Amino acid sequence: MKRFFILLGKLLVKGLQLLGKNAGNLPGCILWTLTRHKCVSLFQVDCPIIAVTGTNGKTSVTSYVAKLFSGEGVKLITNSAGNNLDTGICSLLLQHCDWKGRVNADYLILETDESHVPVVYSQLKLETLVVLNFFRDQLDRNGEVETLILKINEFCKTFEGNLILNGDDPNTARLGRANPNNKNVKYFHAEPYAHATTQLFEAGEGRFCPFCGSALEYAYYQYSHIGKFACPECGYGTHTPYVTTTDIDLDKPSFRIGENTYTPALNSIYHVYNMTAVTAVAKLYDIDNRILTDAIANYTVKNGRMESFTLGENPAVLNLAKNPVGANMTLRVMNEMSGEKELLFVLNDNIADGLDVSWIWDINFSVFERVTRVVTSGTRAHDIAVRIKCAGYDPSKIVVRPKLDDAVEELNTTAGKKFVIANYTAVQPTRAALKRYIEKHGGAANEAN
Amino acid sequence: MKPIKILHMYADMLDLYGDSGNMEILQYRCKMRGIPCEIEHYSRTSEVPDFSSYDLIYLGGGADLEQQILSADLPRCSEGLKKAYADGVFFLMICGGYQLMGKYYRDADGNELPGVGLFDYHTIAPNSRRKRCIGNIVVQTEITGEPLDIIGFENHGGQTSGVTSPFGKVRCGNGNCFQSDTEGYCGKNVIATYLHGPLLAKNPKLSDYILTYCLSRREDAPEQLAPLDDTLENECRAVMLERLLKK
Ligand SMILES: [Zn+2]
């Protein structure tokens, strides 16, 4: 039966490719139904599997880790297209297995959706799990954050592989206690950067100790609830870091880990945390520091994170913000940008966005530095307009244009810098609309990264 | 003018789905009218305040873990809260806050958490955490004296029953239980509801109803609140009502 499913799956992949279509999720979805939801168990994988999960940053970290392992003669399989559910991973493996389901590779490096970690890795043997963070994200689809963490915690109770955890996120670090017999738990940590605060600045999860319920105490917050925390009652938070990032300077940008200085391609604190996680993987697998240094300095992932465009004459930056933490971070970057600028915020409420747009009220809009006008767009263009207005922004400077092309035209009726924020399903349509504008009015899409 | 005094309870714990936005909206609508508005916080580490000294007491929603922790703290507030309610202080409660003011909340694992017992309803969460009432919701309330559509987003596992006077009729969505006709609980000086969005974002008339009530308790009460430009809010309402109610 197994061989029949593999055969069928492969035929589906081939068929779709003949039709000029990307295999995507479809073959995986069909096998998922036929195997009674065990589609990943069809495969035999003998090489190490490294999985990356967490609310924010998993796409980036996965591609950096893949970059570390890539090289002459290395067969690496990774889901760079972001197909990170069991069905997507099944579709991916179908393209790389033989007729018996044996996967031919040296490494599997898989971005894995938080809610699918237990599903996928109860069927495939995982060597290393990297957990970046847990934030509010698409809550209504996944259930409350706590439920999600409990599910992964349940998985970790019997997991004996390498567990690389963000030691500065109380929601993530707690997984390190799930299996007291696992000797391979490793935490990464970062010393405070220049904008770290002693008070919580943005809405965050996990303000309470998951073990005893006391309020956690923080020496500093880097952003949201990420920072140096400890429980005054039971001592949770006193773990020893495996990797510590120090001397973070976002102006250069640069940071140090041990003896080595790195110059990352992006200058945000989130990116520094992502690179710290990547460094932990590099250390674990004994990757040559020159390879790591080069990847951190020169490699960037093209996925709507700080992408540059020129719209006619106007310089513009597009950034994805799929949850409050991402949006708050993006706003910090926008505010720190010198000179006046106009903001386009595109908000959709499709299924993959989580339907609920309440999260925009967790974005801290109270500080707008030199933002002269706001254009809103997307299926919830009006909601984001109301949100920004109630934060105290002059409503006469807010223009609502639900259709994207209209919004991009409106944005460019004035000259100057533009900053574009789009949520999950809005990013690709926004990018397309920016490109259509460029075709019509000139300018450039920055393909460099 | 004496400020409108709001007590935001457990803001550090009950803060799911943008519920703190309701505070931001009330503050905004006061500020635009030159009405001073003060928001104070109460959390587990605070001293028990004189609840009756406030105009409005607000509680947002939280996850099961937070509910458990709060349930342990609530008994010390219970008498004060009951007195404040009897004194006419307005209570606005969302989701978890709504549940905690009832008789009890039984969570998905069967743990029974006693509520304040201010109201007679109780809430039972289904055994499966997957079973939840999730989606956009429109509730028609008559609390302001005329039919008013309230637009929000519900996301709750708990099924609330024993409600004697619901907040409104469900026009689209689930309400107190799966597929129920009614949503929330209300009275002269209380609105308890499952609506996030946050609740007041798309419902400026409801915000003003609450503010009018708060002002009506004082001697120098203004006849009417000064009108505000709600063009953006009204456009937002029109778009959502068109989308949710056309069948
Ligand atoms: Zn503790």
Side-chain angles (χ1 to χ4, degrees):
Chain A
M1 208 56 187
K2 197 167 142 185
R3 286 196 191 189
F4 166 74
F5 288 140
I6 296 280
L7 179 67
L8 177 72
K10 278 186 160 297
L11 288 173
L12 282 165
V13 171
K14 280 274 178 284
L16 286 165
Q17 280 167 350
L18 286 175
L19 290 169
K21 295 203 163 78
N22 191 319
N25 263 339
L26 186 64
C29 287
I30 292 171
L31 290 194
W32 184 81
T33 312
L34 293 175
T35 56
R36 297 168 185 254
H37 312 173
K38 294 271 181 211
C39 59
V40 187
S41 65
L42 294 171
F43 303 96
Q44 185 194 330
V45 181
D46 297 322
C47 70
I49 303 177
I50 302 172
V52 181
T53 194
T55 313
N56 284 349
K58 53 187 177 291
T59 308
S60 291
V61 171
T62 304
S63 36
Y64 275 91
V65 170
K67 185 79 189 159
L68 294 181
F69 285 90
S70 66
E72 200 94 358
V74 179
K75 172 129 202 275
L76 201 116
I77 301 174
T78 184
N79 47 355
S80 47
N83 37 348
N84 63 11
L85 307 180
D86 54 351
T87 50
I89 290 169
C90 173
S91 296
L92 176 78
L93 295 181
L94 275 174
Q95 298 166 54
H96 297 279
C97 72
D98 65 12
W99 299 103
K100 291 177 179 167
R102 278 192 306 230
V103 176
N104 169 29
D106 296 315
Y107 293 98
L108 248 63
I109 297 173
L110 299 173
E111 168 185 341
T112 310
D113 186 85
E114 304 87 278
S115 61
H116 279 67
V117 166
V119 180
V120 175
Y121 303 109
S122 58
Q123 301 172 53
L124 292 178
K125 189 173 178 341
L126 183 61
E127 182 169 285
T128 299
L129 177 63
V130 183
V131 189
L132 300 172
N133 47 53
F134 291 108
F135 296 114
R136 295 175 187 191
D137 186 24
Q138 307 175 11
L139 282 183
D140 51 333
R141 205 176 48 138
N142 290 334
E144 290 152 354
V145 178
E146 181 64 19
T147 314
L148 192 62
I149 300 169
L150 286 177
K151 269 200 222 165
I152 299 185
N153 196 64
E154 204 53 40
F155 169 78
C156 288
K157 281 182 183 170
T158 54
F159 179 59
E160 291 185 341
N162 304 302
L163 194 53
I164 297 182
L165 303 172
N166 184 343
D168 294 347
D169 175 7
N171 285 342
T172 302
R174 64 192 271 197
L175 298 176
R177 289 193 180 186
N179 181 0
N181 295 322
N182 188 352
K183 301 282 178 265
N184 306 306
V185 180
K186 297 177 165 61
Y187 302 92
F188 62 89
H189 162 69
E191 298 277 284
Y193 84 121
H195 297 284
T197 52
T198 50
Q199 293 294 315
L200 185 65
F201 180 71
E202 295 132 347
E205 309 302 322
R207 279 161 286 194
F208 300 93
C209 176
F211 300 104
C212 74
S214 314
L216 292 171
E217 286 176 357
Y218 276 76
Y220 55 88
Y221 293 93
Q222 305 271 36
Y223 67 96
S224 188
H225 65 257
I226 304 299
K228 180 78 190 115
F229 69 90
C231 174
E233 291 296 321
C234 74
Y236 169 55
T238 50
H239 38 259
T240 311
Y242 176 63
V243 162
T244 299
T245 293
T246 61
D247 304 287
I248 301 168
D249 181 345
L250 291 184
D251 293 330
K252 282 187 179 156
S254 71
F255 61 85
R256 289 176 64 83
I257 293 176
E259 297 293 298
N260 304 308
T261 300
Y262 301 94
T263 53
L266 299 173
N267 63 344
S268 73
I269 185 69
Y270 327 103
H271 188 66
V272 171
Y273 267 89
N274 289 345
M275 293 306 99
T276 307
V278 170
T279 305
V281 176
K283 184 174 174 185
L284 182 67
Y285 285 90
D286 252 336
I287 306 274
D288 188 327
N289 187 49
R290 279 171 303 181
I291 294 173
L292 175 67
T293 308
D294 180 58
I296 290 177
N298 300 315
Y299 180 67
T300 53
V301 186
K302 202 169 137 195
N303 52 6
R305 274 83 162 174
M306 300 302 287
E307 258 187 86
S308 310
F309 296 84
T310 310
L311 308 172
E313 304 279 297
N314 300 324
V317 177
L318 167 66
N319 208 346
L320 164 78
K322 54 179 181 166
N323 49 38
V325 180
N328 282 324
M329 216 49 198
T330 300
L331 288 180
R332 280 197 193 189
V333 174
M334 179 187 74
N335 283 329
E336 286 165 13
M337 187 189 266
S338 61
E340 294 188 338
K341 53 253 167 177
E342 293 183 327
L343 168 67
L344 166 61
F345 201 123
V346 189
L347 180 68
N348 279 351
D349 66 346
N350 296 317
I351 290 173
D353 296 311
L355 300 172
D356 183 12
V357 297
S358 299
W359 65 275
I360 59 175
W361 290 82
D362 287 332
I363 306 174
N364 188 347
F365 280 107
S366 63
V367 204
F368 257 179
E369 302 278 352
R370 302 173 298 277
V371 178
T372 49
R373 200 164 62 114
V374 174
V375 179
T376 68
S377 189
T379 55
R380 290 298 197 104
H382 293 89
D383 285 77
I384 187 70
V386 169
R387 167 67 192 108
I388 292 173
K389 171 193 152 176
C390 289
Y393 191 75
D394 181 355
S396 70
K397 291 184 190 160
I398 303 175
V399 187
V400 183
R401 293 284 182 270
K403 289 198 180 120
L404 260 168
D405 287 314
D406 297 352
V408 176
E409 288 286 344
E410 179 66 47
L411 183 70
N412 287 289
T413 50
T414 52
K417 284 185 198 171
K418 315 294 175 189
F419 202 88
V420 184
I421 301 178
N423 74 328
Y424 195 56
T425 69
V427 160
Q428 293 308 334
T430 302
R431 178 191 276 128
L434 295 177
K435 288 189 173 166
R436 282 195 295 274
Y437 182 90
I438 290 166
E439 266 169 37
K440 215 166 143 193
H441 302 278
N446 186 355
E447 304 292 349
N449 61 354
Chain B
M1 190 178 191
K2 227 174 63 182
I4 290 184
K5 275 182 73 184
I6 299 177
L7 182 68
H8 187 177
M9 291 184 72
Y10 307 118
D12 54 342
M13 303 191 72
L14 297 178
D15 183 23
L16 268 185
Y17 314 113
D19 284 338
S20 293
N22 289 323
M23 293 295 93
E24 207 175 329
I25 292 160
L26 289 179
Q27 239 172 345
Y28 175 79
R29 298 186 75 80
C30 283
K31 190 177 161 207
M32 295 311 283
R33 295 172 166 124
I35 302 170
C37 172
E38 283 172 8
I39 297 179
E40 289 176 18
H41 288 101
Y42 168 80
S43 66
R44 289 178 306 157
T45 48
S46 313
E47 306 241 313
V48 175
D50 175 10
F51 292 103
S52 295
S53 69
Y54 295 92
D55 296 298
L56 172 68
I57 290 177
Y58 175 69
L59 287 104
D64 273 358
L65 178 74
E66 274 96 43
Q67 304 251 80
Q68 277 176 31
I69 298 173
L70 289 193
S71 173
D73 184 67
L74 277 169
R76 68 184 185 126
C77 302
S78 140
E79 281 317 303
L81 287 170
K82 284 176 182 160
K83 179 172 180 300
Y85 181 68
D87 289 344
V89 174
F90 198 96
F91 278 60
L92 177 61
M93 300 162 304
I94 312 294
C95 198
Y98 169 22
Q99 296 167 348
L100 284 169
M101 289 296 138
K103 281 206 262 188
Y104 62 89
Y105 170 70
R106 190 185 302 157
D107 72 16
D109 302 321
N111 302 316
E112 198 162 300
L113 310 174
V116 169
L118 196 51
F119 309 109
D120 279 342
Y121 55 77
H122 62 270
T123 306
I124 296 176
N127 296 331
S128 164
R129 285 180 201 271
R130 278 167 188 255
K131 284 190 189 160
R132 296 179 72 81
C133 301
I134 299 177
N136 289 301
I137 175 167
V138 180
V139 174
Q140 192 170 77
T141 182
E142 306 229 341
I143 195 167
T144 61
E146 55 188 34
L148 173 65
D149 284 323
I150 304 294
I151 310 165
F153 194 93
E154 62 179 331
N155 185 349
H156 55 102
Q159 308 288 298
T160 300
S161 36
V163 171
T164 45
S165 52
F167 175 45
K169 285 188 299 220
V170 178
R171 295 191 68 191
C172 156
N174 285 293
N176 282 333
C177 301
F178 290 107
Q179 301 292 313
S180 56
D181 296 328
T182 57
E183 202 288 323
Y185 176 88
C186 80
K188 181 174 71 73
N189 56 322
V190 54
I191 295 175
T193 173
Y194 277 114
L195 270 64
H196 302 282
L199 171 71
L200 301 177
K202 283 184 274 294
N203 305 295
K205 282 187 178 163
L206 191 66
S207 307
D208 285 356
Y209 169 79
I210 295 168
L211 293 177
T212 305
Y213 175 90
C214 291
L215 291 171
S216 73
R217 297 173 69 220
R218 50 180 72 178
E219 287 177 3
D220 59 346
E223 282 282 297
Q224 240 176 341
L225 286 175
L228 295 181
D229 180 358
D230 291 330
T231 312
L232 283 176
E233 284 86 346
N234 290 332
E235 282 172 6
C236 190
R237 286 176 61 78
V239 169
M240 287 310 285
L241 287 175
E242 160 76 20
R243 183 167 133 185
L244 299 175
L245 296 182
K246 71 161 187 224
K247 285 273 155 68

